[in-house]
Amino acid sequence: MATACPECDAEITFERSPLNGEVCRCSECRVELEVTCTNPLRLEIAPEVEEDWGE
Ligand SMILES: [Zn+2]
């Protein structure tokens, strides 16, 4: 699955179907992105937090 980064428009690809609420990082601009919808796949910039989300 693939979608575009809302920050820099780079392509974000997932090896498997992402879960709603899953957080990933754009490989281009390093922004943290949260999956807000899985069908269609939709990402939003995650609020900046100090906590480690875990990988
Ligand atoms: Zn980006």
Side-chain angles (χ1 to χ4, degrees):
M1 298 188 86
T3 189
C5 172
E7 177 74 9
C8 71
D9 216 32
E11 188 176 68
I12 311 289
T13 56
F14 293 88
E15 293 181 9
R16 55 179 174 74
S17 297
L19 300 173
N20 215 342
E22 191 170 322
V23 175
C24 64
R25 192 180 289 272
C26 175
S27 58
E28 290 295 322
C29 66
R30 314 303 298 172
V31 74
E32 282 200 327
L33 301 168
E34 183 176 348
V35 178
T36 56
C37 185
T38 54
N39 187 23
L41 183 56
R42 195 175 148 85
L43 300 175
E44 283 185 16
I45 296 168
E48 282 193 36
V49 289
E50 302 268 323
E51 291 173 1
D52 187 357
W53 289 85
E55 302 281 24

